[in-house]
Amino acid sequence: MTHSTTDPTARPASILIVCLGNICRSPTAEAVLRARLAAAGLDIEVDSAGTGDWHVGEAPHVEMTEAAAAKDYDIAALRARQIAPADFARFDLILAADPSNLRDIEAIRPAGNTTPVMLFAPLSGSGQDAIPDPYFTGDFAGALALVEAACDGLIAQLQ
Ligand code: 4NP
């Protein structure tokens, strides 16, 4: 949970990854980041959420679940939830799957809160600012590959 320091260089104790529906990109990122953190021996809490409420309570998208399973990530038990203003106090770092998610997250930031909200994709080093949404592109494997690269970049920064 939230650590007490305001040092911006401090390692976050908790990370929230946010996309639009919380059924494709962010639950995948939640599972990949959990696996990468465990492999790196880093004890950091990870959760995911969506800016929208259409899929609250639902399991991840079937094709996303299959693409993740093909690479040994099990996201089937995750359930979608919507980001809430209280998440700004609950998490030390919030990562957005694309610029429009970032704007929607910032729109509900509580007054006075300074939790960093950053784009996730640039951590991949690919030069992309967005994880293209496979719900619309159909490219679930591509989204997963970019998520993996972004997680690798994040882990490198955290070590
Ligand atoms: P996600 O993909 O943001 O990666 O979970 C989407 C899932 C559902 C919708 C949009 C994006 N939707 O409009 O229902």
Side-chain angles (χ1 to χ4, degrees):
M1 295 296 279
T2 307
H3 57 98
S4 54
T5 178
T6 54
D7 177 359
T9 65
R11 182 185 291 160
S14 54
I15 299 173
L16 180 67
I17 307 171
V18 179
C19 63
L20 181 58
N22 194 209
I23 57 168
C24 295
R25 296 165 296 172
S26 63
T28 301
E30 177 183 343
V32 173
L33 186 55
R34 273 215 188 100
R36 295 288 206 270
L37 287 167
L42 293 168
D43 182 19
I44 297 175
E45 179 193 351
V46 182
D47 194 11
S48 68
T51 58
D53 67 357
W54 311 284
H55 300 283
V56 167
E58 293 180 18
H61 192 287
V62 168
E63 288 178 75
M64 192 74 253
T65 305
E66 290 171 355
K71 297 204 74 183
D72 282 336
Y73 304 107
D74 184 359
I75 64 172
L78 300 178
R79 293 295 176 266
R81 74 172 182 90
Q82 187 176 28
I83 188 174
D87 285 314
F88 284 84
R90 278 185 59 200
F91 293 91
D92 293 335
L93 173 63
I94 300 176
L95 296 171
D98 67 36
S100 109
N101 302 148
L102 185 89
R103 284 191 292 277
D104 291 341
I105 296 164
E106 289 291 0
I108 62 159
R109 180 190 289 279
N113 173 275
T114 59
T115 302
V117 179
M118 294 170 30
L119 287 171
F120 183 49
L123 296 166
S124 68
S126 67
Q128 288 175 258
D129 66 353
I131 312 270
D133 194 337
Y135 189 82
F136 300 113
T137 69
D139 185 6
F140 293 89
L144 174 55
L146 190 50
V147 162
E148 288 183 309
C151 286
D152 286 341
L154 178 59
I155 295 284
Q157 286 191 16
L158 293 172
Q159 280 174 328

